[in-house]
């Protein structure tokens, strides 16, 4: 689903976030979290603007509780930039579009 935010789970996290050769921005989030919900439109904008260059994904920590501890996620929202299977940048806490763009830009 290009140009949109991809929902990932424990079952497909490795395949959709760690294995693609392209840059992946993944947000660890929860539906009950206001900062996470506020981030959703930002992720959608970034997905459209960077279509073809960045895959934008999100993982709900309540529906997929196994993946966050494997990646040392202790707070939400947490954003990771993954390049060729390696985490290259992290941001914890609320983020504006500018924050997200600044996070991914050095890795494009």
């Amino acid at each position: 689903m290009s140009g949109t935010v991809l929902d990932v789970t424990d079952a497909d996290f490795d395949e959709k976030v760690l294995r693609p050769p392209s840059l992946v921005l993944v947000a660890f989030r929860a539906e009950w979290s206001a900062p996470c919900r506020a981030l959703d439109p930002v992720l959608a904008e970034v997905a459209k603007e960077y279509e073809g260059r960045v895959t934008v994904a999100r993982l709900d920590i309540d529906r997929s509780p196994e993946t966050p501890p494997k990646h040392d996620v202790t707070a939400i929202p947490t954003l990771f930039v993954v390049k060729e299977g390696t985490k290259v940048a992290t941001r914890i806490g609320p983020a504006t579009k500018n924050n997200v763009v600044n996070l991914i830009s050095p890795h494009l």
Side-chain angles (χ1 to χ4, degrees):
M1 294 175 59
S2 57
T4 60
V5 178
L6 181 66
D7 285 310
V8 296
T9 64
D10 286 338
D12 61 9
F13 184 87
D14 287 358
E15 175 189 340
K16 293 183 177 175
V17 174
L18 300 179
R19 290 195 188 123
S22 63
L23 198 64
V24 179
L25 171 69
V26 61
F28 291 84
R29 65 176 311 281
E31 192 58 39
W32 50 262
S33 166
C36 292
R37 288 193 314 271
L39 189 58
D40 285 345
V42 171
L43 296 175
E45 279 186 54
V46 170
K48 285 180 186 167
E49 208 168 295
Y50 289 84
E51 182 176 357
R53 296 186 288 164
V54 179
T55 299
V56 179
R58 64 184 191 165
L59 181 132
D60 186 305
I61 63 163
D62 292 323
R63 293 185 179 149
S64 295
E66 294 171 20
T67 301
K70 290 179 186 175
H71 298 278
D72 299 320
V73 173
T74 58
I76 56 168
T78 292
L79 299 173
F80 285 169
V81 178
V82 178
K83 187 172 190 175
E84 297 173 358
T86 301
K87 182 175 30 169
V88 295
T90 303
R91 179 181 172 87
I92 299 170
T96 64
K97 181 180 177 190
N98 192 46
N99 297 143
V100 174
V101 168
N102 288 337
L103 189 68
I104 62 174
S105 291
H107 308 286
L108 289 172

